[in-house]
Structure formats: structure tokens, C-alpha cells
């Protein structure tokens, strides 16, 4: 019989793509989302891709009464926990918002899971836990002692909570450390929602090309990298979503344990390379200027993803041009639908 998976934050950017992959792999999916960074309509968009309805609870993972009601009604076998705030800069301005939502949410969810003896969980972590390191490609055993922002702290604390529960309380946890997710589903029906001025590079590029922003500012070209701009490991969101299905399968099969996996392509690209790749697939000249460094930016980081490749039997299918192509397609489709 198909297993039923609770996806917290399942209407968000990575969550929605993962719900598609889960449904396409015959998992039953139940979503809980408080719409703090998404809209209800995403559920219909998911259905338009998979042909399957999304069972949706609009509620907060910090609200234990709502979670309890959900666990009473649904026979949940496992959980993928995406629900969290994710803006690094905002977390510096308002750290308590991040501690409350991300850490309290994790604790509330784990407590209910424990109560209902649902102990299989995949948790969304981030490469931000590695901080400012020059040791790329980064392996999972790289030290993660000091976070570079309150957002990063929330990821480290949640990882630690999950490790404790795996060690002492019978949980089976998979921690996924994402590098830089970009792009959108090739149907252009789901993608990252453009709420406000984007902080991240790729949405800023696509909005500039669409004429919504005047120009892109490249944050510094005086780094110690081949072209002077920062290097990141950009990963197509669909590749990332597919890794969640593999991680879930893996978690169900393993014994009480906690495993950590990097999810990246294993290749680093500079900001200028991303711009060039975008210009090539879109046929547009992107207006950009070189500006000052952005505070807190890590010079260069990319993943060693061999552990995920070996144990999860997962590899990335999409390269940088496919990422740019789908990001642009989503930008154009989203503009049309407004
Ligand atoms: P997102 O904001 O698009 O999605 C998060 C979803 O969770 C949203 O739909 C939001 O409404 C919901 N949510 C937030 N708090 C909630 C709460 N208390 N109760 C119920 N729902 C809540 O973000 P995303 O990019 O899809 O990120 C998903 C996860 O991956 C987050 O944990 C994030 O920290 C992590 N992550 C993201 C990135 C990235 O670059 N996007 C990188 C590394 C890790
Ligand atoms: C990428 C590169 C910028 C915007 C963030 C979080 C990280 C993780 C992923 C959640 C950098 C440059 C950007 C612009 C630019 N998220 N840039 N002009 O900072 O690597 O990672 O998202 O866990 O925790 O910090 O991603 O897309 O913001 O930046 O030059 O207008 O693009 O300096 O080198 P980042 P990003």
C-alpha cells in the first residue's frame, strides 16, 4: 500500500516541486502550510501537473492543536519538513521571528510525531551551516560549529534536535543540506513566487530581463576567484525535489539513525557565468553593473555530493543552461498569468 507523507511547507518553492515528485512516485501526500510565503492556488497548479488532488491543511506547524487534529485524521507514515522562514538578511534584523518559527516549529512537529509514533523524517537544511569556508568541494563531515546568521543557527539547532531524537528516541532522520536551488518545473506551472524584491540572484536576473527591475548589481568582482565574482553550486529545483523521494525511500529502509547529505551538482559557477548562461538561453542582454561586496557573502562554495549519489542513487540531470531556461520560462509564464 502507498505510504502517506506529511509535507510541511508543501506549497512553497521546494515543497511544491517535491509534492509533484512524491505524487508521481505514488506516495499519498498531505500538505500543511500557513501561506506565510505561498498562496493556496499552488495546490491547484500541482494538481494540473500530476492530475492528483492535494490534501491541504492551512495551518501553522507551531500550532500543536492543528497538528494533533491532522495526525488524528490522517494515517501519516513519514514527514518532510520544509516549513520555515528562509531570508538570511531578515533573520539578522529579526532573529526572534526565526527562532520562533523555525526552531519552535521543529520542536512542536517532532513532539506530535513522537506522540503518534511517526518517526521517519526528512529535514530541509542548508549549505549555510558550513559558514565561510574555503574548503570546497565540501563534504558532510566538514565542521559546522558556528552559523553565519540567525537563520543558519536555526538550521544547526534543528539538525541537532533531530540527531538527538535519532540517537535516543528511535527517530529515523535524513538531513538534506541544499546548496543553491534555482529554476522551476518545466511546465512553468510552479516556481518560486516573486514576493517583493528578490534577494537571490536568479529571480533578480529573470525580473531584470522581464523589465521589472532596472539592472542587476553584481555584488563584488574582487574576490579570489577566476573572474573575481562569487562561486556557488546552483541546483535545479526539480533535481532537488527528486532527491527528496530518494531520501524518503532511504529513511524508510534504514534503522534508527540520522544521515546527512549534501544536495548540489558538485560544480561551482561564478555570478558572471550565471549571467552568461542566462543571456545565452534567453537571447537577452542583461543590464548589470558591478557593485560593492554584499556583507556576509561567502567567497566560494560548492558541494561534494558523492555521498548522496552513492547512498541515495541520485544524480542531477539538469545543467546550468537548463536551470536558466526553466527559470526564464517560469518568469514569462508568471507574468502572463497576472
Ligand atoms: P518557501 O518560503 O518557498 O517555502 C516555505 C513554505 O513554508 C511556504 O509555503 C510557507 O508559507 C510555509 N511556512 C513557513 N512557516 C510555516 C509554518 N510555521 N507553518 C506552516 N507553514 C509554514 O521556501 P523554500 O525555498 O521552499 O524552502 C523550503 C525549506 O528549504 C526551508 O526550510 C528553507 O530554509 C530550506 N532551504 C531553502 C533554500 C533556498 O534557497 N530556497 C536553501 C537551503 C535550504
Ligand atoms: C548568489 C550569488 C551573491 C543577488 C542564499 C542563502 C543560503 C541558501 C541559498 C537558504 C552571491 C550574488 C545575488 C544579486 C549578486 N538559502 N548576487 N546580485 O547568498 O549564495 O545563498 O540562498 O538556506 O543560506 O544565503 O544566494 O542567490 O542570494 O546569491 O551578485 O542581486 O549571487 O553575492 O554570490 P546565496 P544568492
Amino acid at each position: 500500500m502507498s505510504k502517506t507523507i506529511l509535507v510541511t511547507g508543501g506549497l512553497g518553492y521546494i515543497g511544491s516541486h517535491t509534492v509533484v515528485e512524491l505524487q508521481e512516485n505514488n506516495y499519498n501526500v498531505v500538505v500543511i502550510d500557513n501561506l506565510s510565503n505561498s498562496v493556496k492556488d499552488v495546490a491547484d497548479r500541482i494538481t494540473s501537473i500530476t492530475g492528483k488532488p492535494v490534501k491541504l491543511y492551512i495551518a501553522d506547524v507551531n500550532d500543536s492543536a492543528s497538528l494533533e487534529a491532522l495526525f488524528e485524521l490522517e494515517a501519516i507514515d513519514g514527514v518532510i519538513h520544509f516549513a520555515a522562514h528562509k531570508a538570511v538578511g531578515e533573520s539578522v534584523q529579526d532573529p526572534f521571528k526565526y527562532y520562533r518559527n523555525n526552531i519552535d516549529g521543529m520542536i512542536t512537529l517532532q513532539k506530535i510525531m513522537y506522540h503518534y509514533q511517526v518517526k521517519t523524517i526528512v529535514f530541509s537544511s542548508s549549505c549555510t551551516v558550513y559558514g565561510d569556508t574555503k574548503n570546497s568541494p565540501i563534504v558532510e563531515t566538514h565542521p559546522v560549529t558556528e552559523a553565519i546568521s540567525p537563520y543558519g543557527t536555526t538550521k544547526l539547532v534543528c539538525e541537532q534536535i533531530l540527531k538527538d531524537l535519532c540517537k535516543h528516541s528511535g527517530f529515523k532522520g535524513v538531513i538534506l543540506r541544499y546548496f543553491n536551488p534555482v529554476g522551476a518545473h518545466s511546465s512553468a506551472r510552479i516556481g518560486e513566487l516573486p514576493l517583493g524584491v528578490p534577494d537571490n540572484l536568479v529571480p533578480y536576473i529573470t525580473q531584470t530581463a522581464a523589465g521589472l527591475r532596472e539592472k542587476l548589481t553584481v555584488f563584488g568582482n574582487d574576490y579570489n576567484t577566476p573572474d573575481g565574482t562569487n562561486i556557488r553550486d546552483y541546483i535545479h529545483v526539480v533535481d532537488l525535489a527528486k532527491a527528496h523521494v530518494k531520501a524518503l525511500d532511504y529513511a524508510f529502509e534504514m534503522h534508527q539513525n540520522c544521515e546527512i547529505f549534501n544536495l548540489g551538482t558538485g560544480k561551482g559557477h561564478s555570478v558572471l557565468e550565471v549571467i552568461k548562461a542566462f543571456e545565452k538561453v534567453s537571447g537577452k542582454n542583461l543590464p548589470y553593473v558591478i557593485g560593492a561586496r554584499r556583507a556576509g557573502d561567502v567567497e566560494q562554495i560548492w558541494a561534494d555530493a558523492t555521498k548522496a549519489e552513492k547512498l541515495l542513487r541520485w544524480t542531477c540531470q539538469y545543467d546550468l543552461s537548463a536551470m536558466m531556461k526553466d527559470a526564464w520560462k517560469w518568469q514569462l509564464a508568471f507574468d502572463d498569468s497576472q
Side-chain angles (χ1 to χ4, degrees):
M1 217 176 74
S2 304
K3 290 195 170 67
T4 300
I5 309 305
L6 175 63
V7 181
T8 76
L11 297 189
Y13 174 44
I14 306 168
S16 57
H17 289 83
T18 302
V19 171
V20 167
E21 296 303 322
L22 288 168
Q23 288 190 331
E24 288 183 344
N25 282 277
N26 292 319
Y27 278 108
N28 299 319
V29 180
V30 176
V31 167
I32 181 170
D33 200 301
N34 67 358
L35 306 184
S36 59
N37 199 31
S38 53
V39 293
K40 211 174 151 195
D41 169 55
V42 172
D44 300 328
R45 289 166 170 264
I46 293 170
T47 301
S48 77
I49 297 169
T50 63
K52 296 180 183 173
V54 175
K55 195 153 202 182
L56 174 63
Y57 287 77
I58 296 177
D60 198 300
V61 291
N62 283 289
D63 175 5
S64 48
S66 296
L67 269 184
E68 216 169 311
L70 186 157
F71 273 78
E72 279 296 325
L73 286 170
E74 311 288 346
I76 303 295
D77 295 296
V79 176
I80 305 184
H81 183 38
F82 290 106
H85 295 322
K86 62 167 178 178
V88 176
E90 186 191 48
S91 80
V92 175
Q93 301 308 316
D94 191 356
F96 297 106
K97 178 177 175 182
Y98 279 69
Y99 304 147
R100 280 256 179 276
N101 195 51
N102 297 5
I103 302 176
D104 282 1
M106 180 75 170
I107 296 170
T108 309
L109 174 69
Q110 305 292 281
K111 204 169 163 202
I112 301 280
M113 286 176 66
Y114 184 78
H115 180 76
Y116 285 88
Q117 294 291 296
V118 176
K119 293 187 173 178
T120 304
I121 175 162
V122 174
F123 172 66
S124 296
S125 189
S126 165
C127 68
T128 195
V129 299
Y130 294 120
D132 195 357
T133 171
K134 301 240 179 323
N135 295 327
S136 288
I138 304 287
V139 289
E140 290 84 352
T141 48
H142 188 281
V144 291
T145 44
E146 206 177 316
I148 46 176
S149 69
Y151 166 72
T153 301
T154 69
K155 291 297 170 192
L156 278 178
V157 171
C158 290
E159 283 195 2
Q160 197 55 52
I161 290 169
L162 186 51
K163 283 181 196 166
D164 281 350
L165 294 172
C166 292
K167 200 165 178 185
H168 306 294
S169 308
F171 274 62
K172 301 195 290 178
V174 172
I175 292 169
L176 301 177
R177 292 180 178 155
Y178 316 150
F179 280 66
N180 287 56
V182 297
H185 195 267
S186 61
S187 66
R189 290 180 188 169
I190 53 171
E192 188 162 19
L193 290 180
L195 303 167
V197 181
D199 289 323
N200 296 116
L201 178 64
V202 175
Y204 209 104
I205 288 178
T206 59
Q207 289 194 13
T208 305
L212 302 171
R213 314 267 156 223
E214 190 196 338
K215 58 180 181 300
L216 171 79
T217 301
V218 175
F219 297 140
N221 69 347
D222 56 351
Y223 286 96
N224 187 21
T225 59
D227 66 19
T229 65
N230 288 158
I231 294 176
R232 296 288 182 272
D233 188 338
Y234 298 93
I235 173 170
H236 197 296
V237 66
V238 171
D239 276 331
L240 192 65
K242 286 177 192 290
H244 287 74
V245 179
K246 301 275 191 178
L248 196 61
D249 293 342
Y250 185 84
F252 277 122
E253 275 166 28
M254 74 188 191
H255 298 292
Q256 175 177 350
N257 193 6
C258 184
E259 282 297 347
I260 301 177
F261 295 99
N262 284 338
L263 295 181
T265 61
K267 291 190 194 79
H269 291 288
S270 73
V271 176
L272 293 181
E273 282 172 345
V274 175
I275 295 172
K276 270 190 210 117
F278 175 80
E279 289 183 327
K280 199 165 174 202
V281 298
S282 66
K284 294 209 150 229
N285 276 331
L286 191 80
Y288 72 88
V289 291
I290 305 293
R293 291 182 176 197
R294 180 171 69 176
D297 266 340
V298 170
E299 182 174 275
Q300 46 187 311
I301 183 164
W302 65 94
D304 180 326
T306 42
K307 183 176 174 189
E309 286 166 14
K310 276 191 196 141
L311 296 189
L312 302 181
R313 297 168 201 277
W314 163 86
T315 44
C316 288
Q317 292 168 3
Y318 300 102
D319 63 6
L320 189 62
S321 8
M323 298 177 211
M324 294 304 117
K325 185 170 150 245
D326 288 334
W328 182 227
K329 210 169 151 188
W330 165 243
Q331 177 71 52
L332 295 173
F334 192 85
D335 277 357
D336 277 354
S337 70
Q338 297 315 293

